[in-house]
Structures are given as structure tokens and as C-alpha cells.
Amino acid sequence: MSSLWWCFCRNMDGPAIRTHAVSLVQQLRRGWSSSKPIVLAEGSDAGAAWLNTGIHATQLARRQALAAAYMQLTTELKVENLHYVKGEDLIGTSGAVDLPTAMGTHPTDLGHHMMSAAEAKLPVTHDRGHHA
């Protein structure tokens, strides 16, 4: 079994993310030692989100739902060793114009600065003694 779980919820709407993220983390934690980290990660910025208000609103709703699930899991349900990575930390902070993605998931050729994505994951993995 893996020593680290990364949970991405790219293809769900806000309510589904909130419900399923909580259920998934609870299930993982029941069958897995609390010493193993679980990471909830927002989706990275969609390339057209800065231009298309519909894409931006959907992306914002997903992020808010995942953040709400994280808060419920850590405060109400007291899940330990649960971590959260913000979407803007996955690809970088230069912006959608010079670091675009395809559908908010994978960098395009222009946006292929993957060191930012790796650097966002390193604090969690290094804190737990896992090294890339």
C-alpha cells in the first residue's frame, strides 16, 4: 500500500467534492495508520479561468468545497495527519497567461514549469520523512 495519498477532485462539483472528500478520507483513515499522511489538493488554475467567469466560478466552488471538507475533517472529526495544498501552489503564481494549463489540470508546453508543483508537495513529504 502507498505511504502517501494525494486526493484530487477535478471532475466533481462542489457538493460532491464536499461529501466524497469527507467519506474518502474517513475510509482511508479507518484502514490506515494515522502516521501516514493524506493530502487534499485543490485543482490548479484552469488556463481560461482568468477570462471565463463560468470556469472561474466552478473552480472557486470546488476549492471552497474541498476547503470546507478539510475543515470538517480536521476540526469536527479530528482526523490527524491530513494536509491541504492550495491550487495556486501547484503550478506556480505567475498567472494563467504565462503559466496556462489544459483544463486546469496539466500544464501546456508554455506552462510546463513543474518544479513549482513538486515544490508544493515537498513540505508535506519531507515533514513525514518521504523524499522524492
Side-chain angles (χ1 to χ4, degrees):
M1 181 176 260
S2 262
S3 60
L4 176 72
W5 264 83
W6 278 84
C7 303
F8 289 91
C9 303
R10 166 75 178 91
N11 296 320
M12 289 186 260
D13 64 9
I17 288 172
R18 173 92 191 249
T19 300
H20 295 303
V22 170
S23 296
L24 175 63
V25 169
Q26 287 179 311
Q27 177 134 358
L28 287 172
R29 194 46 82 213
R30 275 194 298 273
W32 211 5
S33 165
S34 63
S35 68
K36 292 188 179 187
I38 298 171
V39 179
L40 297 176
E42 295 178 351
S44 57
D45 289 334
W50 65 277
L51 181 63
N52 183 319
T53 57
I55 292 173
H56 178 72
T58 299
Q59 186 171 319
L60 184 60
R62 287 176 177 150
R63 288 179 173 181
Q64 290 171 339
L66 193 61
Y70 174 78
M71 291 305 297
Q72 179 184 359
L73 286 159
T74 56
T75 59
E76 291 175 31
L77 302 174
K78 308 292 185 205
V79 174
E80 296 179 8
N81 208 0
L82 181 63
H83 306 274
Y84 195 87
V85 176
K86 292 186 162 284
E88 58 265 15
D89 295 339
L90 290 174
I91 300 296
T93 57
S94 295
V97 176
D98 60 340
L99 288 175
T101 62
M103 301 300 293
T105 305
H106 305 287
T108 61
D109 290 343
L110 180 61
H112 212 278
H113 297 276
M114 292 306 294
M115 281 310 294
S116 294
E119 289 169 357
K121 298 173 181 118
L122 287 178
V124 172
T125 57
H126 279 261
D127 288 348
R128 302 300 310 155
H130 304 285
H131 304 285

